[in-house]
Amino acid sequence: MESRLKILGHPVHPMLVMFPFALLVTAVLFDVIDTVGGPDFLGEVAYWNLTVGLIGGLLAAAAGTFDLLAIPSGTRAKRVALTHAAANVAVILLFAAVWAVRLNADSRGAGGALVAIEVVALGILGVGGWLGGELVDRLGVGVDRDAGLDAPSSLRPGAASQRMGDVR
């Protein structure tokens, strides 16, 4: 099933997921280091990684919704996609709760309980990421119908609607 939202012939959702994934993992890593006695500035850096990761996660979710809605009901792909979406929404909600607690705190550092929530969220993020891979690699969601080892360039003539990022 070909992706519904593309830029220059490539699906937008996979382009966007790498940023929040990396930023949220890095935020947790910095929070863990800060909590066990690392430099104080890491809590602040983690907070801002968390902030930008949440924004990126919302953008990735919006792009993913286009593909989710296009998957036919009653298919394994739809069940996996709904589980993928639910896992990632849970991740966003958990990290948003941590972010909200830190927003007006005296210190932007996370500390014990918040780091524990972040670690749980990372576990769920790993499951959501694996499910996303399952959707693409096993179920072909988001894969161009002309895909193959000798497929023409996504910038080939006649692909103007794809180059312009039209929603189909």
Side-chain angles (χ1 to χ4, degrees):
M1 185 204 96
E2 194 167 354
S3 181
R4 297 292 178 133
L5 183 62
K6 293 182 171 189
I7 294 177
L8 297 173
H10 293 281
V12 173
H13 180 64
M15 287 189 248
L16 294 178
V17 298
M18 70 181 89
F19 296 108
F21 201 104
L23 286 163
L24 296 174
V25 168
T26 304
V28 175
L29 178 64
F30 287 172
D31 276 337
V32 168
I33 294 170
D34 180 48
T35 300
V36 298
D40 290 339
F41 73 90
L42 285 182
E44 182 79 22
V45 174
Y47 170 81
W48 288 107
N49 278 358
L50 183 59
T51 303
V52 178
L54 284 168
I55 293 167
L58 292 172
L59 292 172
T65 300
F66 283 92
D67 290 337
L68 173 65
L69 295 174
I71 299 172
S73 296
T75 62
R76 178 169 179 262
K78 187 68 158 200
R79 291 187 303 276
V80 171
L82 289 170
T83 306
H84 167 73
N88 291 327
V89 167
V91 167
I92 294 294
L93 291 174
L94 287 169
F95 277 115
V98 169
W99 179 85
V101 169
R102 294 169 78 168
L103 178 62
N104 293 317
D106 293 336
S107 166
R108 296 291 170 100
L114 294 179
V115 171
I117 293 169
E118 289 178 342
V119 169
V120 168
L122 272 191
I124 299 169
L125 181 62
V127 170
W130 184 87
L131 290 168
E134 184 78 358
L135 284 165
V136 174
D137 295 337
R138 297 288 296 159
L139 299 169
V141 173
V143 177
D144 191 280
R145 66 179 155 264
D146 295 329
L149 296 178
D150 288 316
S153 168
S154 59
L155 299 175
R156 68 191 178 276
S161 65
Q162 291 178 354
R163 284 196 304 274
M164 302 308 288
D166 289 347
V167 176
R168 301 192 278 162

